[in-house]
Amino acid sequence: MAKPTRNDPCPCGSGLKYKRCCSRRDEAESRQLEAARRTSNASGQMLFDFFVARYTPRIRRDAWEAFPLGDPAVPPQDLDMQIFAPWAMYHWQGAPQGRPACLWLDQAPEARDPDLAAFVRSALVQPFSFFEVVDVDPGRGILVRDILCSREVFVHEVSASRGARRWHILVAKIVPHMGFWFFEGMGPTPLPPELRESVRSLVRQRLHLPNSLLLEPKALLDHSLDVLETYREVMDQLRNRPRPTMTNTDEEMLVMCTSRYAFDPARQTGITSLLDRLPELGRAAPDLTTWIWSRPGNRMHADWDNTSIGQVRVGEGELVLETNSRERDAGLRAQLERVCGDRIRWVGTDARDMNDPAEYERMSAEEGETPEDDIDDEPIPPAVKRQILAELLERHYASWREQPLPVLNGMTPREAVATPAGRTQVETLIRSMEFHHDATEMPDFDFNRIRQALGLAPVRRIEARTLETIQQEDVQS
């Protein structure tokens, strides 16, 4: 959200210039936020210094061994400290004389900085919980919703907000101070959104609670171990789960095949004319020597008019065929060789099996690199490519809600939303699609359109709500 300049109309809608209306209040709030942020930043180091000075190495090792995410055989690393330190300070019950933060407050209270003491008291009554990222204001903060306690707050955080993505699930401790919320401990690895309901169910199983019950933060306070042990269990499942088998829409194994042919450059015009005559080939743009190879219908998606099964590029003395399975490569090569005859000569095929973990990792590492081809590559213009992708997205998401899905036990999303449990499942699927879509360079798509079509509540974005409104809701909560 861009901050208004002094002579801009005030965002409050008063009709006055910003400098004549809310500017002074916002400047005072900004100063208060910076003071609260300094206290939040100072508290962690101050308490950890106290922890190191007050307790022996043996007691500190006891804390690490009791920590659900710790490995007793390996000393804590930097990433561990961002969640181990606040847990040890505020939640570790095994320390002599009680929790370290309480001991810090009790020793010489008159010498304590009142702001630091207020922050520590506030942190002592806040639990660890799981939060889904509802929206992100990079460099400013994150709007999160507690999936166990159903509270929604805007957390002021500069660094984490630059790397956070919508619908990530964070295990974290958040603390209010001076009317603002801050992270005071966060797990090193966020969880994907499709695990939302699994996380909720696992925590409730540990606490012997029904899934429908929403907790109050104070009721979760004594169960930080359960929350962190659930996080560890889910992370172990993620590390150990088998990779899914990747196929194309013909259910053929996903193998990225690049077949190259050489030809006499003097024959290029004749070869392009032959390609133009093939009904299955269509130029990506009139002025490009790139063709998309397609066929009518789609085996997986009944509503698709056609399926793109390959791409052909022609450059100076070289023709390149790209497909995503060995079967498609063999079939399209046979057609090319039949049509072009001895005008082209097969040089070789590079096949990269995406179900081979080593090959997949190599190809993932190469993403973003520009290969130096020997031909004059004429890529599809970005505007044309985005238009094609936008049309594909529109068609895909328009039909998605009517498709039977295995994850919904064969029901369509429209059928599933008839029950409360089904609505939850469908909303989780939409969030997962939105999460993975945002990680790509695909054109923007408003997933609230799918929600609206299915009768689900739209998800509000930060742009649609003023930060002032969010903070007022935070204070009331």
Side-chain angles (χ1 to χ4, degrees):
M1 295 179 293
K3 183 178 178 180
T5 64
R6 288 174 54 79
N7 289 315
D8 283 343
C10 189
C12 75
S14 65
L16 299 174
K17 290 185 177 181
Y18 179 60
K19 65 183 179 182
R20 304 288 186 190
C21 191
C22 294
S23 173
R24 290 183 180 178
R25 183 205 63 185
D26 289 351
E27 289 171 359
E29 185 179 88
S30 179
R31 289 192 294 271
Q32 186 175 5
L33 170 60
E34 286 309 307
R37 196 193 308 277
R38 285 195 298 271
T39 301
S40 170
N41 292 339
S43 66
Q45 188 61 53
M46 175 274 301
L47 277 180
F48 191 70
D49 289 344
F50 171 79
F51 182 68
V52 172
R54 180 69 177 77
Y55 299 104
T56 65
R58 175 65 261 177
I59 293 175
R60 298 200 299 269
R61 281 197 301 273
D62 289 344
W64 178 242
E65 290 171 2
F67 182 53
L69 308 181
D71 182 350
V74 181
Q77 306 299 308
D78 288 344
L79 280 177
D80 301 317
M81 294 305 297
Q82 67 184 14
I83 189 169
F84 167 64
W87 174 82
M89 299 303 105
Y90 295 109
H91 299 277
W92 183 39
Q93 302 286 357
Q97 299 177 282
R99 291 177 290 173
C102 293
L103 186 60
W104 178 84
L105 286 171
D106 291 341
Q107 290 188 355
E110 69 282 354
R112 300 296 180 212
D113 179 285
D115 278 342
L116 276 174
F119 184 90
V120 171
R121 291 191 188 95
S122 181
L124 278 165
V125 296
Q126 294 298 325
F128 274 97
S129 190
F130 287 96
F131 299 88
E132 60 184 355
V133 177
V134 178
D135 211 349
V136 181
D137 191 353
R140 194 173 189 183
I142 304 173
L143 182 63
V144 298
R145 182 182 299 122
D146 190 328
I147 67 174
L148 301 177
C149 302
S150 196
R151 50 180 176 162
E152 184 176 296
V153 298
F154 185 85
V155 183
H156 290 268
E157 171 61 46
V158 175
S159 57
S161 65
R162 292 195 173 101
R165 284 169 52 193
R166 293 191 75 203
W167 306 125
H168 259 147
I169 298 175
L170 315 173
V171 63
K173 178 184 178 75
I174 62 173
V175 177
H177 183 61
M178 298 172 64
F180 305 97
W181 288 84
F182 302 94
F183 285 115
E184 182 68 7
M186 183 189 300
T189 305
L191 303 175
E194 52 264 30
L195 295 179
R196 180 181 189 271
E197 293 309 308
S198 296
V199 166
R200 284 164 53 94
S201 178
L202 285 170
V203 173
R204 281 168 166 72
Q205 287 175 22
R206 288 181 180 275
L207 303 185
H208 306 290
L209 296 172
N211 277 339
S212 58
L213 180 66
L214 289 175
L215 298 169
E216 290 295 326
K218 62 182 179 181
L220 195 59
L221 187 60
D222 293 331
H223 298 285
S224 291
L225 274 175
D226 295 296
V227 170
L228 296 182
E229 285 172 354
T230 299
Y231 176 70
R232 182 193 62 195
E233 181 179 344
V234 173
M235 286 300 300
D236 288 344
Q237 292 174 1
L238 282 176
R239 293 187 191 101
N240 298 325
R241 68 180 178 181
R243 282 171 45 85
T245 300
M246 291 187 284
T247 64
N248 59 23
T249 56
D250 289 331
E251 299 184 351
E252 299 161 347
M253 302 297 279
L254 198 64
V255 180
M256 311 308 291
C257 296
T258 303
S259 291
R260 297 181 182 276
Y261 290 84
F263 60 82
D264 181 350
R267 290 186 156 187
Q268 179 167 332
T269 301
I271 290 172
T272 57
S273 297
L274 290 171
L275 295 177
D276 282 332
R277 294 174 194 170
L278 276 172
E280 302 91 346
L281 283 178
R283 292 208 187 209
D287 57 339
L288 294 182
T289 54
T290 301
W291 290 259
I292 304 299
W293 205 314
S294 61
R295 67 162 183 241
N298 184 274
R299 187 173 298 178
M300 186 174 291
H301 303 284
D303 61 303
W304 286 17
D305 295 331
N306 54 58
T307 303
S308 296
I309 57 176
Q311 177 176 282
V312 177
R313 292 182 288 117
V314 173
E316 186 67 28
E318 187 171 40
L319 180 151
V320 179
L321 167 67
E322 295 175 332
T323 61
N324 64 7
S325 74
R326 296 185 190 277
E327 292 83 354
R328 289 180 177 179
D329 176 71
L332 300 188
R333 277 180 52 201
Q335 292 189 58
L336 279 176
E337 292 167 9
R338 176 179 54 81
V339 169
C340 297
D342 61 3
R343 297 174 183 84
I344 60 175
R345 177 177 55 84
W346 178 69
V347 175
T349 298
D350 175 42
R352 311 187 73 173
D353 187 349
M354 293 297 96
N355 288 291
D356 177 350
E359 187 64 70
Y360 181 83
E361 291 300 326
R362 279 195 295 271
M363 195 161 185
S364 298
E366 293 169 7
E367 286 185 359
E369 298 180 5
T370 303
E372 296 181 0
D373 292 333
D374 295 330
I375 65 172
D376 294 329
D377 189 9
E378 297 182 51
I380 302 173
V384 175
K385 183 181 289 187
R386 292 190 70 80
Q387 181 180 354
I388 294 171
L389 291 175
E391 291 172 358
L392 287 173
L393 284 176
E394 288 288 338
R395 290 166 50 197
H396 173 68
Y397 289 126
S399 64
W400 176 83
R401 56 183 180 263
E402 311 298 343
Q403 293 177 8
L405 302 177
V407 73
L408 298 176
N409 296 320
M411 290 190 293
T412 67
R414 187 177 296 282
E415 292 168 339
V417 296
T419 66
R423 294 173 74 86
T424 299
Q425 282 184 292
V426 171
E427 175 60 34
T428 298
L429 286 175
I430 295 173
R431 292 179 186 186
S432 182
M433 292 191 300
E434 194 167 12
F435 172 80
H436 293 291
H437 176 90
D438 288 349
T440 70
E441 296 182 0
M442 297 287 279
D444 291 339
F445 184 83
D446 183 4
F447 285 82
N448 275 337
R449 291 165 54 191
I450 300 178
R451 293 183 174 96
Q452 182 179 14
L454 295 173
L456 299 174
V459 174
R460 298 181 294 173
R461 302 296 300 264
I462 289 179
E463 293 82 3
R465 316 162 63 196
T466 65
L467 190 57
E468 176 186 2
T469 301
I470 296 171
Q471 291 177 175
Q472 288 175 351
E473 293 172 357
D474 292 350
V475 172
Q476 292 169 1
S477 68

